[in-house]
Amino acid sequence: MRFSAYFILISYLMAGTGLVAVSLTNIISPVFLIATGILISLSFFLSILGKPINIQRLVWNSLAIIILAAGLIDYLLISLSLIDASVRFLTILMVAKLFDLKTNRDYATLYLLTFFQLLAASASTVNLSFLFALALYILTGIWALTIFNLKRDWEEKSVAHNEIAKNILDPYFFIVTAGLAALSLIITLSLFFVIPRMGVGFFPKQTADTIKISGFSEKIDIGDLGPIKLDPSIVMRVELSGYKTPATSRLYFRGISFDTYNGAQWQQTIKELVALHKNSKGIWNLKSEIQNSNSEIIIQTILLEPIETNVIFAASTGIGVSGNFQNIAADKMGSFYLPAPFYSRIEYTAYSLLPAHPKPILPEQSYYKEVPLQYLHIPSGLDRVSVLVKGITSGKKTPLDKAISIEEYLKKNYRYTLSPGIPDRSIRKQEGKNPVEDFIFYTKAGYCEQYATTMAIMLRTIGIPSRIVTGFLPGEWNKFGNYFIIRNRDAHSWVEAYMPGAGWTTFDPTPSADTVGAMPAATTAIGLYIDTLKWKWNRYIVNYSFQDQMNLAKTVEGKGRSMLSKLRGSFNTKTVASKWKDMLLLITAVVIAAIILITIRSLVLRAKGKTRWPNTPLFYKDMLVLLAKKGKTKKTGETALEFADSVAIEGVKAATDIYYNIRFGGHKPTDEEKAQISAYLISIRKTLP
Amino acid sequence: MLTAADCFDTIPFMETFLTDTPTKISSLQKNLEKIIKGKPQIIKQAITALIARGHLLIEDIPGVGKTTLAHGLARSINCTFQRIQFTSDLLPSDIIGVTIYNQERHGFEFKPGPIFANIILADEINRTTPKTQSSLLEAMNDRQVSVDKITHPLPEPFMVIATQNSLEYVGTYPLPESQLDRFMMRIRIGYPEAAAEKEILLSSSTELQPQRLNPVLSTEEVIYLQTLVDKIKVDDDLVEYILTIADATRKSSMLRLGASPRGAMMLYRAAQAFALVEGRAYCVPDDIKRLSISVLSHRVVAMQGMEEETDVEGIIQEIVDGIEVPL
């Protein structure tokens, strides 16, 4: 491949990387992206074929003004976001520049534009892929700059460069540049972990991600039945500290509970929220729950995607939450709430009691007064259900035994389906008076909400207080990262019944719920592995907190690395001066830049060193190659002039004079001479057989 | 009249140089071509030696114009010229001068010899005794003479053009290698081409006399040209080329003695001067290659059995042809 082709290819690679980085932000629409991609490819083919469009300077300048105006309008009237507008502006500008690549300065501008694109992208994406885009950018950047340097160096001495670029673009070149890219990344990342931070990013996103969640909702309406689609998108990732294998007993990630059933819908009548107090360890405690806790505490680190709710989840019985929040509220049913729905991924730690195992004991008199009456309320018209329940629970004495027998009954006799309430009602001869009756006596198939509702109602008919809870099942265990991947399809409803002596106890009458955990791995090993990367990315990069840095410092200190810990010591207060941070960033940036520049320089020098007579104008070498092809080979002991005399072809002598002048006289060829040389080369090509 | 100091530092060298110098050198060349027919390359080399502050040894059979060339070069410059015919009874004082007692002034007085001139033609230098030879050669090297502990500087420019007849052996004292090393170049004039010889034959008796030449350069101009030589650009690769050539003569199996460091130095300087003669401000490989025989062949000694001088030139040519020319 010709050198110029390499140069164009690598410059476009860099432009492409800029576009990839920008595309990760979701700021530019797919249509825009595709159009940009097509334009870039078009200009690439035009350049590589050597047929660039010649845009007049005037046209180009007015185009630039239009683009700038469009960018301003975008910022001031449409997106109102500086980042969004500048990402679009930079992208359009880059595409325009690609059609106007003539001089070296144009290329330098292009590189600068891609750099700003990357910068803009870094400010507005938390996507893991950005890391790859960054790595790719560093790599292509080094390539482009090296080749650019070579090109400029050669152009200073030569007039045309048709020499094959094999001298530089060898495996060594690619290994060194890839190594350099990796090194820069490592330095950047290690810096990331060391430098203290207060916030998450420089430019927190302001616009809301409107992710549609079909899994979890704050309303349960079993009167309105319809098929449910399993949504595999991930809702949260949960790491259990200390656990390297899935927890032995099944965890239920509790969202909110409902106390009142009106015959079709569940509602919360106990809506009162209590602001929690933060204790000295930074945990918002749910006091009532902590008092009677003898159980083991399970600590979960949860990375929760925005799902348009202010509910935050905790396993089993949540007793506290810590995280970077202003405040946390809780309701009387043990659910946690943020002050407002959140629109970006959040990370928090939840503290929960593992489920208690109640003993089958008979209730005392006070039992029925311990809980509000709502938990025993049943709508009218459930006489038939009541009769059935009495039958199921006959012979059972304690509330626990009764509840277990109802749970077993539902699991055994009813079928799990995602499309309940079979649409074609003509097939069905009868239907119940209400959804619960319909489920129990007629359809006998349904999904978790119907099972849970039915069990809760059944419990109430025999005087056991109950409520319904919505939340998530643990989902999939990622063995690479040791955490649970919880998806929308893991959304679930279950029942909590008030057991004498034990309090609210979880029951799950849904049959498939047992099998969910045992389901064959929904994700391939590679998928799990990639998700682990995403988890780590989010956990350690995007949500990497000051606390984590403290932990890191402690670990380092613990390992006796006194040097580093001393260094950390100067940072480990909240009064960390931002100038320190800036200084460190600056120094590292300078170091990385220096390393990159030195490498580029040495690559250039190496490429030159590998060429015999690197200072010789390429046109002369080209001429020798041309003449050699025609059977006129210059002997090594022959001077250029002697050779020219012996060849005796018009143009060779004149070209040799110019060559001498450039090569030994340090002369810079004028445009006229360049044209002359081209003419000579053409005439030599023609005259020879 | 431009002086070196006027030119440099203020005006880029190339521009100053290109406006003025080539015309001066070519007028000198043209002047010499009036009396030396068909030998432009020899004339160029003679001019090269002049502006490189070198001395020239012309070695050839009689009657090819050795003396004419030397005389002509001297005549072309508006300078003092002395011709010393070397004979076996010539004494050093005959060249350098003597100190005599001046009765009027009641003291000794130095009477400068013929060496106190800008251009000296030392005719048939190998006919005199080594003692006299060496007195001349010392003066050539130091550009000054010392008589009775008093140092007398020689005029600038100072150039010795020596001739010797290579075929004569009887009654000659061949110059030893150490003495030959003082000459920047040894050139041979050789027989003229047939056409040139015809021209020589047909020309009138006075036409080829050096006496009829008019000076075209002043001594100041010669000194200026000599300073210009130092400014001639020599690429690093060309320096390497020179060193490679010198080294190759030392390693050659055909030579008993290779070129001295002075030889390499002289080649460097001669190449610079030759570039200037060619009208360039920079050296090219051709300058070095073309001069290598003239500059090196009298400094090397061939192995036994190859004593003939022409053989040495052939050996140098062969060596240089085998060395890669910087591209």
Side-chain angles (χ1 to χ4, degrees):
Chain A
M1 207 194 296
R2 282 158 36 126
F3 179 77
S4 56
Y6 267 117
F7 183 63
I8 290 170
L9 180 67
I10 285 172
S11 295
Y12 273 86
L13 264 181
M14 208 172 163
T17 312
L19 190 67
V20 167
V22 161
S23 71
L24 294 174
T25 59
N26 292 328
I27 288 173
I28 53 178
S29 66
V31 178
F32 186 102
L33 196 66
I34 290 166
T36 315
I38 290 171
L39 282 174
I40 289 181
S41 323
L42 179 70
S43 99
F44 173 70
F45 284 114
L46 286 175
S47 305
I48 210 106
L49 294 174
K51 294 173 190 160
I53 299 172
N54 261 321
I55 302 176
Q56 296 289 313
R57 209 41 26 201
L58 188 69
V59 177
W60 166 247
N61 287 342
S62 31
L63 197 66
I65 291 168
I66 292 170
I67 293 170
L68 182 66
L72 279 175
I73 291 168
D74 187 359
Y75 172 48
L76 296 173
L77 301 174
I78 300 168
S79 64
L80 302 177
S81 152
L82 185 61
I83 298 270
D84 289 19
S86 48
V87 162
R88 279 189 281 266
F89 171 68
L90 284 169
T91 310
I92 296 171
L93 206 60
M94 184 190 78
V95 172
K97 196 80 225 168
L98 284 174
F99 282 98
D100 187 46
L101 291 174
K102 291 192 194 88
T103 61
N104 282 344
R105 185 183 287 187
D106 290 331
Y107 279 99
T109 313
L110 174 71
Y111 301 152
L112 205 64
L113 282 176
T114 60
F115 177 72
F116 282 124
Q117 278 187 319
L118 195 82
L119 215 60
S122 75
S124 49
T125 181
V126 288
N127 201 324
L128 171 66
S129 322
F130 181 75
L131 189 66
F132 298 111
L134 181 67
L136 197 65
Y137 183 81
I138 294 176
L139 194 65
T140 51
I142 291 170
W143 287 349
L145 286 184
T146 309
I147 304 251
F148 181 68
N149 249 294
L150 270 180
K151 181 174 178 269
R152 242 186 18 193
D153 267 26
W154 287 351
E155 273 174 353
E156 277 171 13
K157 297 206 178 70
S158 69
V159 282
H161 44 77
N162 301 325
E163 177 155 290
I164 292 160
K166 67 184 170 202
N167 270 331
I168 168 131
L169 300 165
D170 57 1
Y172 177 84
F173 174 81
F174 290 106
I175 289 168
V176 167
T177 48
L180 188 66
L183 184 73
S184 314
L185 264 186
I186 289 167
I187 294 174
T188 313
L189 287 180
S190 39
L191 187 76
F192 180 89
F193 287 112
V194 172
I195 289 191
R197 84 216 44 240
M198 296 296 143
V200 169
F202 292 108
F203 303 98
K205 265 187 116 181
Q206 289 161 348
T207 48
D209 285 315
T210 50
I211 296 175
K212 295 272 178 259
I213 292 302
S214 56
F216 177 79
S217 69
E218 290 176 37
K219 185 182 84 169
I220 291 183
D221 186 349
I222 65 166
D224 178 22
L225 298 177
I228 286 184
K229 222 173 169 187
L230 288 177
D231 180 355
S233 58
I234 292 173
V235 176
M236 54 183 179
R237 297 176 176 86
V238 181
E239 192 177 41
L240 303 177
S241 60
Y243 284 88
K244 289 287 176 195
T245 50
T248 41
S249 61
R250 175 119 71 121
L251 292 172
Y252 286 85
F253 290 92
R254 224 167 161 279
I256 45 173
S257 19
F258 300 90
D259 56 345
T260 309
Y261 182 64
N262 67 4
Q265 288 167 345
W266 282 94
Q267 283 166 344
Q268 282 181 310
T269 49
I270 310 171
K271 282 185 171 170
E272 188 188 338
L273 290 184
V274 184
L276 297 180
H277 291 283
K278 200 175 182 177
N279 72 8
S280 56
K281 288 173 186 167
I283 302 169
W284 278 276
N285 275 334
L286 203 60
K287 275 181 188 154
S288 59
E289 298 288 347
I290 272 188
Q291 282 158 5
N292 56 359
S293 72
N294 298 317
S295 318
E296 196 185 340
I297 285 183
I298 181 163
I299 301 168
Q300 314 120 60
T301 306
I302 298 175
L303 192 71
L304 184 60
E305 303 287 336
I307 50 172
E308 287 190 324
T309 174
N310 59 340
V311 177
I312 58 176
F313 300 83
S316 296
T317 314
I319 54 165
V321 170
S322 69
N324 191 15
F325 306 120
Q326 289 301 315
N327 52 61
I328 299 269
D331 65 12
K332 292 263 168 83
M333 292 186 284
S335 303
F336 296 97
Y337 298 88
L338 287 176
F342 48 96
Y343 293 109
S344 64
R345 191 183 282 127
I346 57 166
E347 194 202 347
Y348 61 94
T349 308
Y351 305 83
S352 302
L353 297 174
L354 272 180
H357 297 288
K359 296 179 184 77
I361 47 171
L362 281 168
E364 289 163 23
Q365 268 307 308
S366 60
Y367 169 64
Y368 299 100
K369 290 172 187 165
E370 282 171 19
V371 290
L373 276 174
Q374 285 96 321
Y375 293 127
L376 286 168
H377 171 82
I378 39 172
S380 58
L382 292 168
D383 303 341
R384 234 181 127 185
V385 178
S386 176
V387 172
L388 176 70
V389 175
K390 292 220 165 68
I392 296 164
T393 57
S394 64
K396 311 287 184 209
K397 296 228 166 51
T398 65
L400 179 68
D401 288 337
K402 286 177 183 171
I404 290 172
S405 60
I406 291 170
E407 192 185 23
E408 293 298 316
Y409 177 81
L410 288 173
K411 272 187 186 172
K412 220 184 284 170
N413 298 309
Y414 294 82
R415 191 170 54 83
Y416 185 81
T417 176
L418 286 171
S419 43
I422 302 167
D424 191 357
R425 291 188 177 228
S426 60
I427 298 171
R428 290 161 57 187
K429 288 174 182 136
Q430 289 172 292
E431 68 177 291
K433 280 180 279 181
N434 53 56
V436 174
E437 230 176 52
D438 198 34
F439 172 69
I440 294 176
F441 299 110
Y442 300 104
T443 61
K444 296 194 174 187
Y447 49 82
C448 58
E449 289 184 3
Q450 287 156 305
Y451 277 97
T453 303
T454 304
M455 180 168 174
I457 297 300
M458 282 176 154
L459 287 170
R460 287 182 182 189
T461 59
I462 53 166
I464 300 174
S466 68
R467 63 191 182 196
I468 191 164
V469 185
T470 59
F472 289 95
L473 286 174
E476 193 174 354
W477 175 254
N478 187 325
K479 61 188 171 192
F480 296 108
N482 297 318
Y483 61 92
F484 287 109
I485 302 173
I486 297 173
R487 300 164 196 278
N488 266 325
R489 65 165 182 235
D490 298 317
H492 194 49
S493 316
W494 60 92
V495 177
E496 282 180 351
Y498 196 78
M499 291 293 126
W504 290 106
T505 306
T506 300
F507 292 93
D508 190 356
T510 313
S512 87
D514 279 337
T515 59
V516 169
M519 267 207 298
T523 325
T524 60
I526 293 171
L528 281 179
Y529 197 73
I530 290 172
D531 195 75
T532 307
L533 281 179
K534 283 186 183 163
W535 156 259
K536 303 242 184 227
W537 170 254
N538 285 306
R539 174 74 186 77
Y540 295 109
I541 310 283
V542 178
N543 287 312
Y544 191 70
S545 60
F546 186 68
Q547 188 60 43
D548 288 314
Q549 287 184 320
M550 293 302 294
N551 291 342
L552 178 70
K554 279 178 196 152
T555 315
V556 170
E557 202 172 70
K559 284 177 182 169
R561 303 275 294 274
S562 59
M563 269 287 284
L564 191 57
S565 73
K566 263 182 202 163
L567 191 77
R568 293 278 321 137
S570 59
F571 290 125
N572 64 6
T573 57
K574 293 201 171 179
T575 56
V576 175
S578 67
K579 66 176 178 188
W580 268 100
K581 188 166 137 185
D582 292 348
M583 278 279 279
L584 212 66
L585 271 170
L586 194 70
I587 291 167
T588 317
V590 168
V591 167
I592 293 178
I595 293 173
I596 290 177
L597 285 180
I598 289 166
T599 313
I600 289 174
R601 203 60 221 159
S602 69
L603 281 170
V604 169
L605 287 178
R606 181 182 152 273
K608 281 188 176 178
K610 274 178 73 179
T611 322
R612 187 86 177 113
W613 310 120
N615 297 325
T616 306
L618 292 175
F619 83 87
Y620 187 71
K621 287 183 174 177
D622 288 343
M623 191 172 86
L624 289 185
V625 171
L626 185 64
L627 290 168
K629 274 185 197 160
K630 314 278 184 177
K632 311 263 187 188
T633 312
K634 181 180 157 304
K635 295 185 209 78
T636 53
E638 210 170 14
T639 66
L641 217 53
E642 288 168 350
F643 176 65
D645 288 338
S646 77
V647 168
I649 292 171
E650 207 188 324
V652 175
K653 176 78 168 56
T656 303
D657 284 341
I658 297 176
Y659 146 66
Y660 267 169
N661 202 355
I662 296 166
R663 167 72 170 91
F664 298 107
H667 172 69
K668 292 218 179 355
T670 59
D671 288 341
E672 200 182 321
E673 281 170 324
K674 287 181 189 180
Q676 268 181 353
I677 287 162
S678 301
Y680 290 146
L681 284 173
I682 290 165
S683 85
I684 291 165
R685 202 168 275 134
K686 278 179 188 163
T687 38
L688 287 169
Chain B
M1 162 66 212
L2 282 166
T3 66
D6 291 333
C7 301
F8 307 128
D9 310 327
T10 49
I11 313 167
F13 168 57
M14 276 289 275
E15 282 158 34
T16 327
F17 155 76
L18 284 175
T19 50
D20 212 8
T21 314
T23 47
K24 281 181 182 158
I25 292 174
S26 67
S27 62
L28 179 60
Q29 168 116 18
K30 283 196 189 98
N31 213 32
L32 285 170
E33 278 172 5
K34 287 180 193 161
I35 52 165
I36 311 286
K37 298 288 180 189
K39 295 284 177 193
Q41 288 305 317
I42 299 299
I43 293 169
K44 259 185 201 167
Q45 295 203 10
I47 298 172
T48 301
L50 169 72
I51 63 171
R53 289 203 192 96
H55 304 290
L56 188 65
L57 176 64
I58 307 175
E59 190 175 276
D60 218 323
I61 52 164
V64 289
K66 296 191 291 287
T67 313
T68 312
L69 175 62
H71 202 170
L73 191 62
R75 291 287 304 181
S76 301
I77 301 161
N78 193 6
C79 65
T80 53
F81 172 68
Q82 286 290 344
R83 176 173 177 167
I84 308 167
Q85 190 64 46
F86 279 54
T87 54
S88 56
D89 55 357
L90 198 74
L91 294 172
S93 58
D94 293 338
I95 298 171
I96 290 164
V98 287
T99 310
I100 51 167
Y101 185 76
N102 187 325
Q103 282 189 327
E104 282 170 25
R105 296 186 187 175
H106 304 286
F108 286 97
E109 200 172 70
F110 179 65
K111 282 272 178 193
I115 200 165
F116 288 86
N118 293 116
I119 293 181
I120 316 291
L121 172 58
D123 231 352
E124 301 194 73
I125 192 172
N126 56 344
R127 289 208 164 271
T128 192
T129 55
K131 188 182 178 185
T132 313
Q133 281 174 357
S134 68
S135 68
L136 173 74
L137 294 163
E138 270 173 45
M140 281 166 62
N141 201 40
D142 304 338
R143 289 172 188 273
Q144 63 184 31
V145 289
S146 294
V147 181
D148 297 331
K149 295 178 186 169
I150 298 167
T151 304
H152 305 276
L154 293 170
E156 282 288 329
F158 176 71
M159 184 192 191
V160 172
I161 302 172
T163 68
Q164 69 175 3
N165 188 338
S166 55
L167 286 183
E168 287 179 326
Y169 290 104
V170 180
T172 60
Y173 304 90
L175 292 171
E177 282 76 30
S178 61
Q179 310 266 18
L180 282 173
D181 212 26
R182 308 273 163 86
F183 289 97
M184 174 177 262
M185 285 192 249
R186 181 182 68 182
I187 58 173
R188 291 168 196 286
I189 295 177
Y191 298 114
E193 305 265 316
E197 198 168 3
K198 189 176 178 187
E199 206 182 331
I200 293 166
L201 270 178
L202 295 177
S203 58
S204 64
S205 56
T206 54
E207 210 176 305
L208 298 179
Q209 290 296 315
Q211 283 79 0
R212 66 171 277 266
L213 292 181
N214 293 318
V216 291
L217 284 181
S218 65
T219 49
E220 289 82 12
E221 282 171 323
V222 172
I223 293 169
Y224 166 58
L225 289 174
Q226 286 175 341
T227 35
L228 274 189
V229 168
D230 293 329
K231 308 279 176 182
I232 298 296
K233 178 175 151 61
V234 185
D235 192 89
D236 268 358
D237 287 332
L238 294 181
V239 177
E240 285 295 321
Y241 184 50
I242 291 170
L243 294 173
T244 314
I245 291 172
D247 192 54
T249 63
R250 291 163 203 166
K251 285 179 179 158
S252 168
S253 59
M254 292 177 285
L255 295 176
R256 189 150 53 88
L257 178 72
S260 59
R262 195 197 339 236
M265 217 172 82
M266 288 293 172
L267 184 54
Y268 180 87
R269 199 167 163 72
Q272 283 183 307
F274 193 77
L276 188 59
V277 172
E278 291 276 347
R280 272 184 274 106
Y282 54 90
C283 272
V284 298
D286 299 80
D287 300 336
I288 295 159
K289 196 178 176 188
R290 219 177 282 171
L291 288 173
S292 57
I293 292 172
S294 308
V295 176
L296 297 179
S297 65
H298 60 288
R299 298 169 201 273
V300 299
V301 179
M303 282 291 179
Q304 296 295 327
M306 301 184 183
E307 290 287 332
E308 288 295 314
E309 297 295 336
T310 45
D311 283 355
V312 175
E313 289 176 3
I315 291 164
I316 300 280
Q317 183 72 56
E318 204 175 306
I319 289 169
V320 173
D321 277 342
I323 292 168
E324 185 183 5
V325 178
L327 200 64

